[in-house]
């Protein structure tokens, strides 16, 4: 038994969202459609921002990077899941699983930091409008983006390293449609208490830390907006933040449930449906949220369509 526990498996079987063949085909079509919409929507957002010089501001610099990140984030999960549903081949190699987990954790963590950075940007724009061009310099914006990716890389290295230091034996089944940290930990035949505590501590601190930046920033924003003399000024200030607030609620609500609560690694059955939402649906919705609720982007889009 001791030798079996230390036998390194060469592949895993992803058994999440498994049902009868008709449903699998439907899932494949649904995932493929959402992925195409995600890529097209985010590419259009990037092109709109790059082609309109009026949108070359810190806010849209972060939004352009968020769209790029959403494309990468969705590409790690969705195409492979759609193909697996279509062909019924749910095997994934050991190294493929580790790579998927690393990049998923990298892009997911980076997105959390991006949302915190964007909240600080909105705080500066609303609460310190005269100093905004000085504070949010190009250099600071680039450093914030680089820092977000570096933080994501550190977390993904820790999570992937700790998870794949475990032993896997027996049926090697992962109760998920991709190699999520909690689901892979649950599939191990090693003692996983340390890994669960590390996941809770690291992911919890990242989620709580970035969420605090967001909540504090928006607390000051709301107070500042409430003190503005005219309704037009209040509406204009609120309109620049409303899209970001919707994205924050969607992202942090689902991610907190997945990773920042005790017992997250021991209840993968509850995670499959929620994972679809934040890995597939949110990256697809983001460009629509920012387009439909942003007058500058809509104005730029109409201008580009007329051309």
């Amino acid at each position: 038994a001791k030798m079996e526990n230390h036998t390194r498996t060469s592949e895993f079987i992803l058994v999440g969202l498994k049902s009868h063949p008709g449903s699998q085909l439907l899932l494949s079509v649904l995932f493929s459609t959402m992925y195409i919409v995600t890529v097209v929507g985010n590419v259009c957002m990037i092109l709109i921002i790059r082609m309109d010089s009026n949108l070359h501001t810190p806010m849209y610099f972060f939004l352009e990077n968020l769209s790029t990140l959403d494309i990468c984030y969705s590409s790690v999960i969705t195409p492979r899941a759609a193909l697996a549903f279509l062909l019924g081949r749910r095997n994934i190699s050991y190294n493929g699983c580790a790579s998927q987990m690393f990049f998923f954790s990298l892009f997911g963590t980076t997105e959390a930091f991006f949302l915190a950075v964007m909240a600080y940007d909105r705080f500066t724009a609303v609460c310190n409008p005269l100093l905004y061009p000085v504070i949010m310099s190009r250099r600071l914006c680039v450093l914030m983006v680089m820092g977000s990716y570096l933080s994501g890389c550190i977390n993904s290295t820790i999570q992937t390293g700790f998870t794949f230091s475990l032993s896997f034996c027996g049926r090697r089944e992962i109760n998920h449609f991709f190699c999520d940290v909690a689901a892979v930990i649950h599939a191990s035949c090693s003692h996983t208490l340390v890994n669960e505590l590390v996941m809770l501590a690291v992911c919890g601190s990242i989620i709580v830390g970035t969420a605090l930046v967001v909540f504090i920033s928006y607390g000051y924003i709301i107070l500042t907006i409430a003190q503005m003399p005219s309704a037009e000024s209040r509406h204009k200030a609120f309109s620049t933040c409303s899209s970001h607030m919707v994205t924050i609620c969607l992202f942090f609500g689902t991610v907190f449930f997945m990773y920042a609560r005790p017992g997250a690694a021991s209840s993968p059955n509850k995670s499959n449906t929620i994972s679809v939402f934040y890995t597939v649906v949110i990256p697809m919705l983001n460009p629509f949220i920012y387009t439909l609720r942003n007058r500058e982007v809509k104005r730029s889009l109409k201008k580009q369509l007329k051309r």
Side-chain angles (χ1 to χ4, degrees):
K2 187 175 181 180
M3 289 181 62
E4 183 186 15
N5 286 344
H6 289 81
T7 300
R8 176 173 168 173
T9 185
S10 60
E11 64 177 13
F12 298 100
I13 304 171
L14 300 169
V15 297
L17 298 179
K18 195 171 183 179
S19 59
H20 59 81
S23 296
Q24 295 295 290
L25 179 59
L26 180 61
L27 281 173
S28 178
V29 172
L30 185 61
F31 271 51
S32 299
T33 303
M34 287 193 290
Y35 179 67
I36 292 170
V37 173
T38 299
V39 173
V40 172
N42 282 288
V43 167
C44 287
M45 179 65 74
I46 293 169
L47 292 176
I48 290 169
I49 293 171
R50 290 194 176 183
M51 294 172 68
D52 191 339
S53 59
N54 294 323
L55 301 182
H56 293 176
T57 62
M59 174 182 172
Y60 293 103
F61 172 75
F62 293 130
L63 185 54
E64 179 184 348
N65 279 276
L66 179 65
S67 293
T68 304
L69 184 67
D70 278 338
I71 293 172
C72 298
Y73 188 36
S74 183
S75 296
V76 173
I77 307 296
T78 315
R80 195 190 188 288
L83 193 62
F85 295 144
L86 178 64
L87 302 178
R89 297 175 184 173
R90 292 174 170 267
N91 292 12
I92 184 170
S93 68
Y94 183 93
N95 292 332
C97 188
S99 299
Q100 188 181 61
M101 179 184 294
F102 177 85
F103 286 107
F104 164 72
S105 299
L106 167 63
F107 297 131
T109 305
T110 303
E111 180 143 350
F113 279 95
F114 263 23
L115 294 176
V117 165
M118 292 171 73
Y120 175 75
D121 170 70
R122 291 299 84 208
F123 158 75
T124 308
V126 174
C127 301
N128 298 289
L130 298 178
L131 294 176
Y132 179 70
V134 178
I135 297 173
M136 298 304 295
S137 64
R138 180 74 177 183
R139 181 173 180 273
L140 179 61
C141 293
V142 171
L143 287 175
M144 283 180 165
V145 170
M146 292 175 63
S148 297
Y149 275 104
L150 178 61
S151 302
C153 188
I154 292 171
N155 178 53
S156 61
T157 300
I158 292 172
Q159 296 294 344
T160 307
F162 267 85
T163 302
F164 283 88
S165 66
L166 297 170
S167 298
F168 300 92
C169 49
R171 299 182 65 185
R172 300 167 285 112
E173 289 187 350
I174 296 175
N175 190 8
H176 220 304
F177 63 94
F178 69 96
C179 290
D180 184 41
V181 178
V184 176
I185 288 175
H186 191 70
S188 171
C189 53
S190 302
H191 294 291
T192 61
L193 178 61
V194 173
N195 293 75
E196 292 184 35
L197 291 175
V198 167
M199 185 185 76
L200 180 63
V202 176
C203 293
S205 61
I206 290 171
I207 295 168
V208 172
T210 51
L212 276 176
V213 172
V214 170
F215 293 145
I216 291 172
S217 297
Y218 274 101
Y220 280 106
I221 287 171
I222 291 170
L223 288 175
T224 302
I225 292 175
Q227 294 171 4
M228 290 180 176
S230 66
E232 184 180 353
S233 299
R234 291 193 295 270
H235 177 74
K236 184 178 180 181
F238 182 76
S239 66
T240 64
C241 304
S242 58
S243 302
H244 188 232
M245 292 173 67
V246 173
T247 303
I248 285 169
C249 293
L250 292 174
F251 182 83
F252 280 103
T254 53
V255 170
F256 184 85
F257 181 85
M258 286 291 299
Y259 301 106
R261 62 183 177 87
S266 60
S267 56
N269 285 324
K270 298 179 181 178
S271 306
N272 278 268
T273 303
I274 297 172
S275 297
V276 172
F277 193 73
Y278 74 85
T279 58
V280 182
V281 177
I282 291 179
M284 178 186 68
L285 291 179
N286 277 347
F288 295 99
I289 292 172
Y290 282 101
T291 301
L292 296 176
R293 297 190 63 84
N294 190 302
R295 287 182 296 179
E296 291 179 334
V297 174
K298 286 192 287 187
R299 191 183 305 120
S300 178
L301 178 60
K302 290 177 182 178
K303 186 191 300 183
Q304 300 302 327
L305 290 175
K306 286 181 180 178
R307 287 182 181 177

PDB file of all heavy atoms in Angstrom, residues 123-140:
ATOM      1  N   PHE A 123     -10.986  55.365  -7.850  1.00  0.00           N
ATOM      2  CA  PHE A 123     -10.911  56.161  -6.625  1.00  0.00           C
ATOM      3  C   PHE A 123     -10.117  57.446  -6.871  1.00  0.00           C
ATOM      4  O   PHE A 123     -10.537  58.543  -6.482  1.00  0.00           O
ATOM      5  CB  PHE A 123     -10.254  55.341  -5.512  1.00  0.00           C
ATOM      6  CG  PHE A 123      -9.653  56.160  -4.414  1.00  0.00           C
ATOM      7  CD1 PHE A 123     -10.456  56.772  -3.463  1.00  0.00           C
ATOM      8  CD2 PHE A 123      -8.274  56.330  -4.333  1.00  0.00           C
ATOM      9  CE1 PHE A 123      -9.887  57.536  -2.441  1.00  0.00           C
ATOM     10  CE2 PHE A 123      -7.706  57.097  -3.328  1.00  0.00           C
ATOM     11  CZ  PHE A 123      -8.523  57.706  -2.376  1.00  0.00           C
ATOM     12  N   THR A 124      -8.982  57.313  -7.547  1.00  0.00           N
ATOM     13  CA  THR A 124      -8.146  58.488  -7.837  1.00  0.00           C
ATOM     14  C   THR A 124      -8.861  59.457  -8.772  1.00  0.00           C
ATOM     15  O   THR A 124      -8.816  60.677  -8.580  1.00  0.00           O
ATOM     16  CB  THR A 124      -6.816  58.045  -8.469  1.00  0.00           C
ATOM     17  OG1 THR A 124      -6.199  57.043  -7.648  1.00  0.00           O
ATOM     18  CG2 THR A 124      -5.860  59.224  -8.605  1.00  0.00           C
ATOM     19  N   ALA A 125      -9.547  58.913  -9.790  1.00  0.00           N
ATOM     20  CA  ALA A 125     -10.236  59.758 -10.761  1.00  0.00           C
ATOM     21  C   ALA A 125     -11.380  60.542 -10.134  1.00  0.00           C
ATOM     22  O   ALA A 125     -11.598  61.722 -10.456  1.00  0.00           O
ATOM     23  CB  ALA A 125     -10.758  58.908 -11.915  1.00  0.00           C
ATOM     24  N   VAL A 126     -12.119  59.919  -9.232  1.00  0.00           N
ATOM     25  CA  VAL A 126     -13.296  60.561  -8.640  1.00  0.00           C
ATOM     26  C   VAL A 126     -12.920  61.433  -7.441  1.00  0.00           C
ATOM     27  O   VAL A 126     -13.433  62.551  -7.287  1.00  0.00           O
ATOM     28  CB  VAL A 126     -14.333  59.496  -8.222  1.00  0.00           C
ATOM     29  CG1 VAL A 126     -15.503  60.135  -7.466  1.00  0.00           C
ATOM     30  CG2 VAL A 126     -14.853  58.743  -9.436  1.00  0.00           C
ATOM     31  N   CYS A 127     -12.022  60.936  -6.596  1.00  0.00           N
ATOM     32  CA  CYS A 127     -11.706  61.628  -5.342  1.00  0.00           C
ATOM     33  C   CYS A 127     -10.565  62.634  -5.471  1.00  0.00           C
ATOM     34  O   CYS A 127     -10.465  63.562  -4.666  1.00  0.00           O
ATOM     35  CB  CYS A 127     -11.368  60.606  -4.256  1.00  0.00           C
ATOM     36  SG  CYS A 127     -12.706  59.438  -3.920  1.00  0.00           S
ATOM     37  N   ASN A 128      -9.683  62.445  -6.452  1.00  0.00           N
ATOM     38  CA  ASN A 128      -8.563  63.374  -6.672  1.00  0.00           C
ATOM     39  C   ASN A 128      -8.446  63.716  -8.150  1.00  0.00           C
ATOM     40  O   ASN A 128      -7.416  63.449  -8.779  1.00  0.00           O
ATOM     41  CB  ASN A 128      -7.247  62.762  -6.176  1.00  0.00           C
ATOM     42  CG  ASN A 128      -7.257  62.480  -4.690  1.00  0.00           C
ATOM     43  OD1 ASN A 128      -7.226  63.395  -3.872  1.00  0.00           O
ATOM     44  ND2 ASN A 128      -7.305  61.200  -4.342  1.00  0.00           N
ATOM     45  N   PRO A 129      -9.486  64.310  -8.738  1.00  0.00           N
ATOM     46  CA  PRO A 129      -9.487  64.528 -10.190  1.00  0.00           C
ATOM     47  C   PRO A 129      -8.370  65.442 -10.680  1.00  0.00           C
ATOM     48  O   PRO A 129      -7.842  65.244 -11.779  1.00  0.00           O
ATOM     49  CB  PRO A 129     -10.866  65.141 -10.459  1.00  0.00           C
ATOM     50  CG  PRO A 129     -11.302  65.698  -9.147  1.00  0.00           C
ATOM     51  CD  PRO A 129     -10.721  64.816  -8.111  1.00  0.00           C
ATOM     52  N   LEU A 130      -7.988  66.446  -9.881  1.00  0.00           N
ATOM     53  CA  LEU A 130      -6.943  67.372 -10.317  1.00  0.00           C
ATOM     54  C   LEU A 130      -5.561  66.715 -10.333  1.00  0.00           C
ATOM     55  O   LEU A 130      -4.707  67.062 -11.161  1.00  0.00           O
ATOM     56  CB  LEU A 130      -6.926  68.612  -9.407  1.00  0.00           C
ATOM     57  CG  LEU A 130      -8.202  69.462  -9.404  1.00  0.00           C
ATOM     58  CD1 LEU A 130      -8.073  70.623  -8.433  1.00  0.00           C
ATOM     59  CD2 LEU A 130      -8.500  69.971 -10.817  1.00  0.00           C
ATOM     60  N   LEU A 131      -5.339  65.777  -9.418  1.00  0.00           N
ATOM     61  CA  LEU A 131      -4.040  65.097  -9.339  1.00  0.00           C
ATOM     62  C   LEU A 131      -4.013  63.788 -10.139  1.00  0.00           C
ATOM     63  O   LEU A 131      -2.971  63.141 -10.216  1.00  0.00           O
ATOM     64  CB  LEU A 131      -3.690  64.800  -7.877  1.00  0.00           C
ATOM     65  CG  LEU A 131      -3.447  66.013  -6.970  1.00  0.00           C
ATOM     66  CD1 LEU A 131      -3.217  65.557  -5.534  1.00  0.00           C
ATOM     67  CD2 LEU A 131      -2.261  66.825  -7.467  1.00  0.00           C
ATOM     68  N   TYR A 132      -5.163  63.423 -10.715  1.00  0.00           N
ATOM     69  CA  TYR A 132      -5.271  62.133 -11.403  1.00  0.00           C
ATOM     70  C   TYR A 132      -4.208  61.931 -12.484  1.00  0.00           C
ATOM     71  O   TYR A 132      -3.547  60.890 -12.506  1.00  0.00           O
ATOM     72  CB  TYR A 132      -6.678  61.991 -11.998  1.00  0.00           C
ATOM     73  CG  TYR A 132      -6.904  60.700 -12.752  1.00  0.00           C
ATOM     74  CD1 TYR A 132      -6.989  59.484 -12.082  1.00  0.00           C
ATOM     75  CD2 TYR A 132      -7.031  60.693 -14.139  1.00  0.00           C
ATOM     76  CE1 TYR A 132      -7.200  58.305 -12.766  1.00  0.00           C
ATOM     77  CE2 TYR A 132      -7.244  59.522 -14.836  1.00  0.00           C
ATOM     78  CZ  TYR A 132      -7.323  58.320 -14.145  1.00  0.00           C
ATOM     79  OH  TYR A 132      -7.523  57.153 -14.828  1.00  0.00           O
ATOM     80  N   PRO A 133      -3.976  62.902 -13.390  1.00  0.00           N
ATOM     81  CA  PRO A 133      -2.959  62.676 -14.433  1.00  0.00           C
ATOM     82  C   PRO A 133      -1.555  62.506 -13.867  1.00  0.00           C
ATOM     83  O   PRO A 133      -0.721  61.816 -14.462  1.00  0.00           O
ATOM     84  CB  PRO A 133      -3.046  63.949 -15.293  1.00  0.00           C
ATOM     85  CG  PRO A 133      -4.382  64.541 -14.992  1.00  0.00           C
ATOM     86  CD  PRO A 133      -4.647  64.203 -13.561  1.00  0.00           C
ATOM     87  N   VAL A 134      -1.297  63.141 -12.709  1.00  0.00           N
ATOM     88  CA  VAL A 134       0.035  63.036 -12.096  1.00  0.00           C
ATOM     89  C   VAL A 134       0.205  61.704 -11.380  1.00  0.00           C
ATOM     90  O   VAL A 134       1.219  61.019 -11.524  1.00  0.00           O
ATOM     91  CB  VAL A 134       0.269  64.207 -11.103  1.00  0.00           C
ATOM     92  CG1 VAL A 134       1.640  64.071 -10.434  1.00  0.00           C
ATOM     93  CG2 VAL A 134       0.134  65.532 -11.817  1.00  0.00           C
ATOM     94  N   ILE A 135      -0.831  61.336 -10.600  1.00  0.00           N
ATOM     95  CA  ILE A 135      -0.749  60.083  -9.824  1.00  0.00           C
ATOM     96  C   ILE A 135      -0.739  58.875 -10.740  1.00  0.00           C
ATOM     97  O   ILE A 135       0.129  57.995 -10.633  1.00  0.00           O
ATOM     98  CB  ILE A 135      -1.930  59.992  -8.829  1.00  0.00           C
ATOM     99  CG1 ILE A 135      -1.859  61.123  -7.802  1.00  0.00           C
ATOM    100  CG2 ILE A 135      -1.914  58.633  -8.117  1.00  0.00           C
ATOM    101  CD1 ILE A 135      -3.067  61.199  -6.891  1.00  0.00           C
ATOM    102  N   MET A 136      -1.689  58.803 -11.655  1.00  0.00           N
ATOM    103  CA  MET A 136      -1.818  57.641 -12.539  1.00  0.00           C
ATOM    104  C   MET A 136      -0.980  57.849 -13.807  1.00  0.00           C
ATOM    105  O   MET A 136      -1.482  57.921 -14.921  1.00  0.00           O
ATOM    106  CB  MET A 136      -3.286  57.398 -12.890  1.00  0.00           C
ATOM    107  CG  MET A 136      -4.167  57.086 -11.701  1.00  0.00           C
ATOM    108  SD  MET A 136      -3.610  55.672 -10.710  1.00  0.00           S
ATOM    109  CE  MET A 136      -3.817  54.349 -11.899  1.00  0.00           C
ATOM    110  N   SER A 137       0.310  57.945 -13.611  1.00  0.00           N
ATOM    111  CA  SER A 137       1.228  58.101 -14.736  1.00  0.00           C
ATOM    112  C   SER A 137       1.328  56.791 -15.521  1.00  0.00           C
ATOM    113  O   SER A 137       0.955  55.720 -15.031  1.00  0.00           O
ATOM    114  CB  SER A 137       2.612  58.505 -14.240  1.00  0.00           C
ATOM    115  OG  SER A 137       3.165  57.473 -13.439  1.00  0.00           O
ATOM    116  N   ARG A 138       1.846  56.895 -16.738  1.00  0.00           N
ATOM    117  CA  ARG A 138       2.012  55.692 -17.565  1.00  0.00           C
ATOM    118  C   ARG A 138       2.917  54.674 -16.878  1.00  0.00           C
ATOM    119  O   ARG A 138       2.655  53.480 -16.912  1.00  0.00           O
ATOM    120  CB  ARG A 138       2.603  56.097 -18.922  1.00  0.00           C
ATOM    121  CG  ARG A 138       2.822  54.930 -19.892  1.00  0.00           C
ATOM    122  CD  ARG A 138       1.510  54.448 -20.465  1.00  0.00           C
ATOM    123  NE  ARG A 138       1.695  53.386 -21.431  1.00  0.00           N
ATOM    124  CZ  ARG A 138       0.722  52.826 -22.123  1.00  0.00           C
ATOM    125  NH1 ARG A 138      -0.523  53.242 -21.958  1.00  0.00           N
ATOM    126  NH2 ARG A 138       0.955  51.857 -22.984  1.00  0.00           N
ATOM    127  N   ARG A 139       3.965  55.169 -16.254  1.00  0.00           N
ATOM    128  CA  ARG A 139       4.911  54.283 -15.570  1.00  0.00           C
ATOM    129  C   ARG A 139       4.221  53.521 -14.442  1.00  0.00           C
ATOM    130  O   ARG A 139       4.411  52.307 -14.291  1.00  0.00           O
ATOM    131  CB  ARG A 139       6.076  55.109 -15.015  1.00  0.00           C
ATOM    132  CG  ARG A 139       7.152  54.282 -14.294  1.00  0.00           C
ATOM    133  CD  ARG A 139       8.349  55.160 -13.918  1.00  0.00           C
ATOM    134  NE  ARG A 139       9.360  54.389 -13.229  1.00  0.00           N
ATOM    135  CZ  ARG A 139       9.378  54.184 -11.915  1.00  0.00           C
ATOM    136  NH1 ARG A 139       8.412  54.720 -11.161  1.00  0.00           N
ATOM    137  NH2 ARG A 139      10.327  53.478 -11.345  1.00  0.00           N
ATOM    138  N   LEU A 140       3.408  54.221 -13.629  1.00  0.00           N
ATOM    139  CA  LEU A 140       2.706  53.558 -12.526  1.00  0.00           C
ATOM    140  C   LEU A 140       1.717  52.526 -13.057  1.00  0.00           C
ATOM    141  O   LEU A 140       1.591  51.426 -12.491  1.00  0.00           O
ATOM    142  CB  LEU A 140       1.976  54.589 -11.668  1.00  0.00           C
ATOM    143  CG  LEU A 140       1.185  54.018 -10.476  1.00  0.00           C
ATOM    144  CD1 LEU A 140       2.113  53.302  -9.509  1.00  0.00           C
ATOM    145  CD2 LEU A 140       0.407  55.119  -9.768  1.00  0.00           C
TER     146      LEU A 140
END
